[in-house]
Amino acid sequence: MRRVPPPASPAYSSVPTQMPSSPPAGRHQRYASNASSDQSHTGYYHSPPQSQDEHVGLMQRSRRDYTTQGVATGSIGGGYGPYTTTAPRFSQGRFSNMSNASDFSEKAATTAPATPAPQPPAPRTNTVGYLWDSKDPDLDDALHNPDPVRDAILDKQWTLWSLRGWANFAMIGSLMLALIILFAGWPVISWVRTLHPSGPGYNLGGINSTGQIPDLHVPMLIDQTTPKEALTRTGFDGQQYVLVFSDEFNTDGRSFYAGDDPFWEAVDLHYWLTDAITTKDGNLVLTLTETPIHGLDFKSGMLQSWNKFCFTTGYIEVNISLPGDPRVPGLWPAAWTMGNLGRIGHGATTDGLWPYSYDSCDIGTFPNQTAKDGPPVTTTDGRPLSFQPGQRLSACSCPGSDHPGPTVSRGRGAPEIDIIEAETNLKTWRCSSSQSMQMAPYDADWEFDTSVCTIYNETGTEFNTYKGGTYQQAISSLTDCGITAYNGTSYQTYGFEYWSDPKNRGNGYVTWAQAGQPTWTIPASAIGPNRSGVSQRLISEEPMSIALNLGLAPSFQKQDWKNLRFPARMYVDYVRVYQRKGHENIGCDPPDYPTADYINRHINAYTNPNLTIWSQAGYTFPRNSAYDGCA
């Protein structure tokens, strides 16, 4: 790009102002001139300096004088000084009319400065020289125009105790330390801290050690909307419990068709249909309607966690608003658990397993609890005691038997523990919650030892007069549950806490609860050996699945058809499962009580509800060494 100088101004002479032919040559000769020389070169010469500092000062003033005159004449500034209208001329030095290339040269001048001779006008040119190229460094740029004398003086002024120097060093050190901590220290610190988390962590992508939950929009064992205060509890046994599973049902419109949910399935069998269950307004809603289906007159729903979520020992709590009216009997709302080897509603799977919880090889495993050559066992009033086919997976199983393991000598079953089955108390016309455990083999006359049991509030809880029948022994109590927790207007919690230990079975117990308070407890000793030859029954050691359902059946309580109203709805606010801290055991296929392989080898029985006994599925009971022999 070409730069053209402006036209000459008439206010100034067209002849460029001339400079001295050369600056003072040396620092010794420079100060040897007389007073008249000082006057004739004002601004360039002074009396000899008395010290090094004065010498530096003189040099700095000399540089300013050169700069000022260079700008004024146009030699500095691209030829546009106030006293020039032509482009300056350049040569090997700074200005064309200067003898030395550097104003700080150490070379002594051979002649004194002379009055410059008149110069002819410089020819005009359209090409402008620039003072920032390598031939003419800026006068005020000390890095590109060094002075050895000045530099030597400044070098001697260096000191180790410079405050500014140490401040710079500290800042550089701080930056380096910060970088080291960021890229080397922090990864190590983070790794060490994660070796010993401060709290429990569950599931892939679940709660971390600080209790934070990532919002990955995938189902997790612990619902992200569960309140923090509900993550732990103190058990009725005084032990510390941690939450291992929760579902708050806070997402509306969830689907529970087979395969749609990782923890639940709304089964489609009998009068239970999948579409009778949904989630709405923070609740699981089960609706019972008077709709013909499958040859039956009503349609309702059952939600199961079978083979999806199971737990072994712990505390389970549900918050429920019951359906209907407590003064109108006939509905059967329930929340309960059963061993995973039996699938609810699939009779072939429960044949010979429900409600067995037994690990002894004796008459308790026999059909009808009767010796092979003996008379049928009856109650004291002559009624048959048991119609059970015998324990299918007993401790008497012969070697090589079709058995889930871990060994054929381990007695297995599908015991049942109920959280709540609600009915109407026909004496008080209030809600009554049945909290029970179903058991096999049976006590004589289905009588368990109530003397070792504990009822915590005798005005609100009493032993159930129903003790069982030929297909089950019922170990049960009834507790008043009021009249308000109905139809979504009010809720009440129900639950049970249980413990079992295969190494110390005498410590087992079940404690039921309502509204957060214990109602009654049964210890293992209440179902110990009895006079009928049956040995210790067990507080369940099986992995337990969960069921929530709404039904009606005259075998449970007769219906008041005149006053029953449909549709009836049961609302479940949440389901939460806790376990003793350090004894977490969730999953439907634990190594000491496996179920998965056995289920897969008999999958037709577990998927066809029309098969009601084991033989219909094409299988036989393993031989019982005490009853059949193994030969």
Side-chain angles (χ1 to χ4, degrees):
M1 180 173 64
R2 301 172 59 190
R3 296 180 58 186
V4 180
S9 173
Y12 303 101
S13 171
S14 61
V15 178
T17 302
Q18 299 298 313
M19 296 179 62
S21 59
S22 64
R27 60 179 178 176
H28 299 294
Q29 293 181 351
R30 182 178 299 175
Y31 305 110
S33 53
N34 54 28
S36 62
S37 298
D38 292 338
Q39 296 173 359
S40 62
H41 298 285
T42 303
Y44 288 88
Y45 303 103
H46 302 274
S47 59
Q50 301 302 316
S51 67
Q52 291 182 343
D53 292 340
E54 185 177 355
H55 173 72
V56 173
L58 287 174
M59 288 192 295
Q60 292 174 346
R61 286 194 296 274
S62 176
R63 292 184 63 192
R64 288 195 296 270
D65 293 337
Y66 283 135
T67 302
T68 302
Q69 187 168 355
V71 170
T73 61
S75 297
I76 298 177
Y80 295 106
Y83 304 114
T84 183
T85 59
T86 61
R89 292 171 296 159
F90 298 93
S91 63
Q92 298 297 325
R94 182 169 293 104
F95 309 117
S96 61
N97 56 355
M98 295 178 67
S99 60
N100 292 326
S102 173
D103 61 333
F104 295 132
S105 172
E106 286 296 309
K107 183 178 180 181
T110 56
T111 60
T115 302
Q119 299 290 333
R124 293 183 179 276
T125 177
N126 291 330
T127 303
V128 181
Y130 295 96
L131 298 179
W132 53 79
D133 60 18
S134 60
K135 294 182 179 181
D136 191 25
D138 292 340
L139 292 175
D140 59 348
D141 188 351
L143 291 176
H144 295 88
N145 192 23
D147 182 351
V149 175
R150 178 199 60 199
D151 295 343
I153 294 173
L154 294 177
D155 289 344
K156 293 180 180 179
Q157 294 177 350
W158 178 87
T159 175
L160 180 64
W161 308 111
S162 169
L163 178 62
R164 180 177 179 181
W166 281 107
N168 291 340
F169 178 79
M171 178 58 68
I172 294 173
S174 299
L175 293 174
M176 292 180 64
L177 181 62
L179 290 173
I180 292 173
I181 293 175
L182 177 63
F183 294 105
W186 176 247
V188 174
I189 294 171
S190 178
W191 180 80
V192 171
R193 290 180 62 185
T194 56
L195 290 180
H196 305 286
S198 59
Y202 308 109
N203 207 18
L204 181 62
I207 295 178
N208 65 14
S209 60
T210 64
Q212 297 170 320
I213 306 174
D215 188 8
L216 301 178
H217 302 289
V218 295
M220 292 182 290
L221 285 170
I222 297 179
D223 195 315
Q224 298 183 40
T225 62
T226 301
K228 291 184 178 179
E229 58 269 20
L231 297 179
T232 60
R233 66 179 291 270
T234 300
F236 302 124
D237 58 357
Q239 302 286 331
Q240 290 300 307
Y241 283 69
V242 294
L243 187 69
V244 296
F245 173 81
S246 65
D247 197 333
E248 308 293 325
F249 302 112
N250 285 334
T251 301
D252 286 356
R254 282 170 59 180
S255 172
F256 298 107
Y257 282 86
D260 283 358
D261 194 275
F263 307 122
W264 304 103
E265 179 180 337
V267 296
D268 185 1
L269 54 91
H270 305 317
Y271 62 97
W272 296 311
L273 257 67
T274 303
D275 62 3
I277 299 178
T278 188
T279 51
K280 185 178 180 181
D281 299 330
N283 294 291
L284 178 75
V285 184
L286 296 85
T287 303
L288 173 62
T289 59
E290 195 171 2
T291 303
I293 190 75
H294 296 164
L296 302 171
D297 296 326
F298 295 89
K299 182 178 80 170
S300 189
M302 171 184 280
L303 193 70
Q304 299 180 3
S305 74
W306 175 81
N307 220 32
K308 293 176 178 287
F309 173 77
C310 305
F311 66 103
T312 305
T313 74
Y315 174 71
I316 181 170
E317 181 177 270
V318 295
N319 195 27
I320 296 178
S321 186
L322 296 169
D325 188 320
R327 297 163 296 183
V328 179
L331 299 181
W332 190 3
W336 49 300
T337 65
M338 193 170 82
N340 195 63
L341 279 176
R343 185 178 187 185
I344 301 167
H346 294 69
T349 68
T350 58
D351 186 27
L353 290 186
W354 175 83
Y356 280 95
S357 187
Y358 202 54
D359 191 29
S360 299
C361 181
D362 55 30
I363 196 172
T365 67
F366 295 175
N368 305 325
Q369 286 183 221
T370 300
K372 191 170 186 178
D373 298 324
V377 176
T378 61
T379 63
T380 54
D381 58 4
R383 291 177 293 163
L385 179 68
S386 171
F387 285 164
Q388 286 284 354
Q391 187 177 8
R392 188 205 317 164
L393 303 174
S394 72
C396 303
S397 299
C398 293
S401 294
D402 183 10
H403 193 284
T407 66
V408 295
S409 60
R410 171 72 59 84
R412 302 293 302 275
E416 176 184 337
I417 306 177
D418 300 330
I419 305 168
I420 176 180
E421 293 176 289
E423 60 183 20
T424 296
N425 187 323
L426 300 179
K427 295 179 181 180
T428 63
W429 299 103
R430 293 165 61 90
C431 168
S432 182
S433 64
S434 171
Q435 297 181 306
S436 59
M437 177 171 63
Q438 318 306 319
M439 183 63 61
Y442 312 151
D443 287 296
D445 294 333
W446 309 295
E447 292 279 358
F448 64 97
D449 187 357
T450 59
S451 65
V452 295
C453 298
T454 302
I455 290 180
Y456 296 93
N457 181 2
E458 293 186 356
T459 61
T461 302
E462 62 182 1
F463 289 116
N464 198 334
T465 57
Y466 175 75
K467 301 181 183 300
T470 55
Y471 289 103
Q472 69 185 78
Q473 177 177 345
I475 299 170
S476 176
S477 284
L478 300 173
T479 298
D480 180 86
C481 46
I483 59 173
T484 60
Y486 277 80
N487 300 309
T489 59
S490 180
Y491 292 78
Q492 186 160 252
T493 61
Y494 307 89
F496 70 81
E497 175 184 295
Y498 82 109
W499 173 255
S500 61
D501 182 359
K503 297 179 180 178
N504 193 353
R505 287 169 168 163
N507 289 339
Y509 70 90
V510 182
T511 297
W512 284 267
Q514 181 177 290
Q517 299 300 315
T519 56
W520 79 289
T521 295
I522 177 172
S525 58
I527 48 175
N530 61 38
R531 66 180 185 272
S532 63
V534 173
S535 301
Q536 174 76 52
R537 274 68 47 82
L538 308 178
I539 303 298
S540 176
E541 298 172 1
E542 296 284 341
M544 306 292 281
S545 66
I546 307 168
L548 306 166
N549 66 276
L550 173 57
L552 71 170
S555 60
F556 180 72
Q557 189 170 43
K558 290 183 179 181
Q559 285 69 43
D560 180 357
W561 295 115
K562 180 179 178 179
N563 295 301
L564 280 174
R565 296 291 181 266
F566 300 97
R569 292 182 176 88
M570 170 180 167
Y571 299 89
V572 181
D573 178 36
Y574 63 74
V575 176
R576 297 172 185 166
V577 178
Y578 298 81
Q579 292 185 317
R580 283 186 185 181
K581 189 174 183 179
H583 296 273
E584 297 85 351
N585 186 359
I586 59 175
C588 297
D589 188 39
D592 49 348
Y593 284 87
T595 67
D597 178 67
Y598 187 80
I599 291 171
N600 291 333
R601 287 190 286 110
H602 307 88
I603 195 64
N604 60 323
Y606 286 92
T607 55
N608 187 349
N610 295 316
L611 304 176
T612 57
I613 59 175
W614 193 241
S615 60
Q616 286 183 335
Y619 309 114
T620 59
F621 281 30
R623 292 180 66 89
N624 186 309
S625 60
Y627 190 82
D628 301 310
C630 294

